[in-house]
Amino acid sequence: EVQLVESGGGLVQPGGSLRLSCVVSGFTPSTNWMHWVRQVPGKGLVWVSRISSDGSVTTYADSVKGRFTISRDNAKSTLYLQMDNLRAEDTAVYYCATSSRSLLDFWGQGTVVTVSS
Amino acid sequence: DIQMTQSPSSLSASVGDRVTITCRASQSISTYLHWYQQKPGKAPKLLIYDTSTLQGWVPSRFSGSASGTDFTLTISSLQPEDFATYYCQQGYFTPWTFGQGTKLEIK
């Protein structure tokens, strides 16, 4: 069974940093691109970032470009999202997901990030 | 960015009803349109991919279709477990974008 488990969320002050992790089990993630998607509670889904299977290609939403960094360690089956210079508008549930071609086929349960003073 | 306009934003229906949710892309996205189902407090689940292909767990009362840049999710006979929020997503252009969601509620 494929499982993705996020961690690292929490409460942080504006301007602060957090590092999210997503551990994958049940399949070999090194063959898949992986993504982060966020959702403000009660609102819709917003794609944040993606990384290629070997980590050589990364893409970001304009809203996080220059502040967030996606990375992965395939030996540890782990995806990361380093979030710096956090803003109140980054408050959301963050999901990691795997992708096959153009779709998101497996999702984690999400980790909550709250940016507030 | 590709805009995905989903309608309606909410829908009240009864068990056994036929319902249709529409997603319009701001430009051509070929068949790279996918639908997700999300229940409260849970992660989204892939429901239909490539416009009309059902994921393995999805019952046949669900279907997807397209006409140009208009995409449709149809549930032929609503069941209690279908009440959820549904999102469309285009995967043709980066950034991938989602519709605003349709919350399907029990009447």
Side-chain angles (χ1 to χ4, degrees):
Chain A
E1 179 190 6
V2 176
Q3 279 197 316
L4 290 79
V5 179
E6 301 97 335
S7 61
L11 173 65
V12 62
Q13 292 188 336
S17 298
L18 276 178
R19 188 197 199 198
L20 307 183
S21 299
C22 170
V23 178
V24 181
S25 61
F27 83 113
T28 305
S30 59
T31 59
N32 289 71
W33 286 62
M34 295 198 67
H35 301 248
W36 289 98
V37 176
R38 68 186 181 185
Q39 184 175 36
V40 174
K43 302 296 184 182
L45 301 165
V46 178
W47 176 86
V48 172
S49 182
R50 69 176 183 177
I51 187 167
S52 61
S53 56
D54 65 358
S56 63
V57 178
T58 59
T59 315
Y60 299 92
D62 286 345
S63 59
V64 307
K65 201 173 294 183
R67 300 187 299 120
F68 289 12
T69 304
I70 191 171
S71 62
R72 64 192 297 165
D73 183 337
N74 286 337
K76 296 182 178 179
S77 295
T78 303
L79 173 72
Y80 302 100
L81 186 68
Q82 177 67 40
M83 304 187 297
D84 297 320
N85 192 18
L86 282 160
R87 305 168 180 167
E89 55 265 36
D90 296 319
T91 294
V93 178
Y94 284 74
Y95 296 101
C96 62
T98 64
S99 69
S100 297
R101 300 177 291 114
S102 68
L103 54 92
L104 298 160
D105 44 10
F106 295 104
W107 298 62
Q109 85 289 350
T111 187
V112 178
V113 171
T114 304
V115 184
S116 175
S117 54
Chain B
D1 297 359
I2 302 293
Q3 304 303 314
M4 304 302 296
T5 303
Q6 190 173 337
S7 60
S9 57
S10 64
L11 178 57
S12 182
S14 301
V15 172
D17 284 353
R18 178 184 180 91
V19 299
T20 298
I21 298 170
T22 298
C23 193
R24 173 170 290 175
S26 59
Q27 63 187 83
S28 175
I29 56 171
S30 186
T31 59
Y32 294 94
L33 189 285
H34 319 297
W35 293 96
Y36 300 84
Q37 180 191 69
Q38 186 178 33
K39 295 188 176 180
K42 301 294 187 181
K45 291 176 63 176
L46 180 64
L47 185 73
I48 293 174
Y49 62 94
D50 294 347
T51 300
S52 59
T53 305
L54 272 59
Q55 269 288 75
W57 64 273
V58 179
S60 59
R61 62 181 179 273
F62 287 86
S63 63
S65 63
S67 176
T69 57
D70 291 340
F71 298 82
T72 300
L73 168 66
T74 300
I75 310 172
S76 60
S77 178
L78 273 173
Q79 298 302 302
E81 59 270 27
D82 300 336
F83 291 94
T85 300
Y86 294 85
Y87 294 93
C88 62
Q89 174 246 321
Q90 67 82 19
Y92 195 58
F93 291 104
T94 303
W96 293 0
T97 46
F98 294 86
Q100 304 95 315
T102 296
K103 186 174 183 179
L104 183 50
E105 298 175 302
I106 301 174
K107 183 183 287 184

